[in-house]
Amino acid sequence: MTGTKKNIMLTPGPTPLPPEVLAALSRPILHHRTEAFGEIFQFVLDAMRRVYMTKNRVLMASASGTGAMESAVVNLLSPGDEALVYSTGAFGDRFAAILKAHGLSPTVISEEWGHAAKADKLAAALKQHQKTKAVFLQQTDTSTGVLNDIKALAAAVRANSDAIVVVDAVSSLAAEEFHMDDWGVDVALTASQKGLMNAPGLAFAAISERAWTLVQSARLPKFYFDWKTYDKSLKARETPYTPAVAMVAAQAEALKLIEKISLKGMWKRTAVLADYTRAWARKNGLELFATDPAHILTGVRLPDGVDGSSMLAEILREEGISIADGQLNLKGKIIRIAHMGYISKPDLDAGFAALEKRLAKVQAA
Ligand SMILES: *Cc1c(COP(=O)(O)O)cnc(C)c1O
């Protein structure tokens, strides 16, 4: 019965893996305090610097992207510090929730879902909150497929405040154009399972010298995620605790592929698939959800009367194709088609065919 089923993921993480990456995941496990592992780990950190477009230090922990987000909060801030979150969706709201979980009271400004953050609104908020230590942003909020202009937003922070700029690039890195150093980003966070074409399980943070001075004085409690501990282990090409060694080996393979295609080639590939998906939506009379759409993911509104949740469940059950539902109040109302990482045009075509078949049935009824 499952023989004819495909296994296609059009989801914004996890994403499908290239064969070279899958092969690396099945190789014998290396001990993490060995020369052999150290070499792979060092390559991953160096290649990550090239993907981030930075000369800054890059740290890695075994965790999902939310772990990277929490590590930024606890390593940058102290009790009573002022922080500002500019939320454009569920992941911006998650930053606010993490800050609150650690006893802080962030200022939260937001946009209606689907709309990008505005530099002038951020500037005005910072003028009102002069003591802000850190501003938290998403490059792409995966809940809606919106793209925020990090270059303009970071410039607005620089011009109006001494706050550092923390960017969640979990779903965008290696897929959307990003220049950490040129854009003046202080902390950039990501994870392995999206644009980086690896299995879930690795979290990365690139940290500027400006941000590192905050790290040295930050007093929020932490242990596993203490960046100073990770930094100390770098000299020995190690992590302080046992890392997800198989995932590190796999990440090295994925980064080699990214370098083979080139970073620009990766950005282009994502953009081409985004255009292709938007054209498909238009051809089928479906409205795009985001007014400022990202290339990593297309959010599409479903016609009234279509129950998206049950349609997507049926597509997965009958055809083995995963497509993401809307989140929270968009559940059942939009679908999210990812085109990041190793997702290919044939994968998208299979998803489009499955959707068309079911939408036609609804429209005929
Ligand atoms: C996926 C994602 C995260 C992290 O999610 P995890 O499930 O913890 O890996 C954070 N931010 C954005 C924008 C994401 O897309």
Side-chain angles (χ1 to χ4, degrees):
M1 195 188 96
T2 53
T4 57
K5 259 209 240 176
K6 305 171 194 88
N7 179 17
I8 292 178
M9 298 183 91
L10 299 177
T11 43
T15 55
L17 304 187
E20 294 89 336
V21 178
L22 284 171
L25 286 172
S26 65
R27 288 204 287 261
I29 293 294
L30 293 170
H31 192 279
H32 58 290
R33 312 244 181 256
T34 58
E35 200 55 29
F37 178 77
E39 234 163 75
I40 296 172
F41 180 49
Q42 188 65 53
F43 170 77
V44 166
L45 296 183
D46 290 342
M48 283 302 294
R49 255 189 293 279
R50 295 190 284 272
V51 172
Y52 274 119
M53 304 282 278
T54 188
K55 295 195 165 60
N56 291 327
R57 89 188 74 206
V58 172
L59 304 180
M60 185 202 84
S62 302
S64 82
T66 305
M69 295 168 78
E70 179 157 26
S71 77
V73 167
V74 296
N75 280 283
L76 295 167
L77 298 171
S78 298
D81 275 353
E82 289 191 21
L84 191 146
V85 177
Y86 198 154
S87 177
T88 53
F91 290 99
D93 293 351
R94 186 173 297 179
F95 260 144
I98 294 169
L99 287 155
K100 286 176 191 160
H102 288 283
L104 301 182
S105 310
T107 299
V108 181
I109 56 174
S110 56
E111 293 301 321
E112 196 188 323
W113 283 26
H115 296 264
K118 296 175 181 66
D120 54 353
K121 184 160 159 181
L122 178 56
L126 285 168
K127 278 181 200 149
Q128 273 186 3
H129 298 277
Q130 296 279 349
K131 285 194 281 188
T132 302
K133 279 248 178 92
V135 174
F136 293 87
L137 305 167
Q138 263 70 33
Q139 185 178 22
T140 49
D141 201 304
T142 324
S143 57
T144 64
V146 75
L147 174 72
N148 290 315
D149 183 349
I150 295 301
K151 185 181 181 183
L153 294 164
V157 177
R158 282 284 192 270
N160 294 284
S161 153
D162 292 326
I164 59 156
V165 179
V166 181
V167 176
D168 166 357
V170 173
S171 58
S172 57
L173 198 75
E176 303 271 356
E177 188 164 354
F178 187 75
H179 303 264
M180 181 171 189
D181 292 354
D182 287 354
W183 291 356
V185 173
D186 291 294
V187 174
L189 309 167
T190 200
S192 50
Q193 78 272 24
K194 303 189 187 184
L196 289 175
M197 302 196 292
N198 191 9
L202 297 181
F204 296 92
I207 306 146
S208 74
E209 285 308 316
R210 241 163 66 89
W212 198 256
T213 59
L214 279 191
V215 172
Q216 278 161 335
S217 61
R219 284 180 290 106
L220 280 180
K222 58 207 159 268
F223 185 85
Y224 181 73
F225 282 131
D226 192 332
W227 284 349
K228 295 190 293 302
T229 318
Y230 286 81
D231 185 61
K232 271 192 207 122
S233 296
L234 285 183
K235 249 196 236 112
R237 306 199 295 186
E238 288 181 5
T239 53
Y241 319 110
T242 317
V245 281
M247 252 81 92
V248 179
Q251 193 61 71
E253 294 305 320
L255 286 161
K256 282 182 209 163
L257 288 172
I258 289 171
E259 302 208 321
K260 210 157 115 190
I261 297 163
S262 87
L263 199 48
K264 272 198 182 142
M266 293 293 296
W267 297 341
K268 173 102 188 286
R269 176 163 117 171
T270 317
V272 166
L273 293 180
D275 279 343
Y276 184 63
T277 304
R278 290 173 203 147
W280 170 80
R282 269 195 301 276
K283 200 183 76 192
N284 285 276
L286 299 168
E287 196 186 326
L288 301 184
F289 182 76
T291 50
D292 306 287
H295 291 326
I296 56 149
L297 173 130
T298 300
V300 174
R301 269 186 214 278
L302 293 171
D304 286 343
V306 177
D307 174 0
S309 303
S310 62
M311 181 174 70
L312 296 180
E314 187 189 294
I315 290 175
L316 180 60
R317 197 172 55 242
E318 294 180 357
E319 305 199 36
I321 303 171
S322 309
I323 299 170
D325 199 346
Q327 288 175 299
L328 303 173
N329 56 343
L330 292 177
K331 201 169 163 48
K333 299 199 176 108
I334 70 165
I335 56 172
R336 295 177 300 141
I337 305 168
H339 19 73
M340 58 178 70
Y342 193 60
I343 292 170
S344 67
K345 207 165 171 187
D347 292 344
L348 288 171
D349 285 336
F352 295 162
L355 288 165
E356 279 172 38
K357 194 161 94 188
R358 285 162 183 88
L359 287 169
K361 244 191 270 172
V362 178
Q363 272 147 4

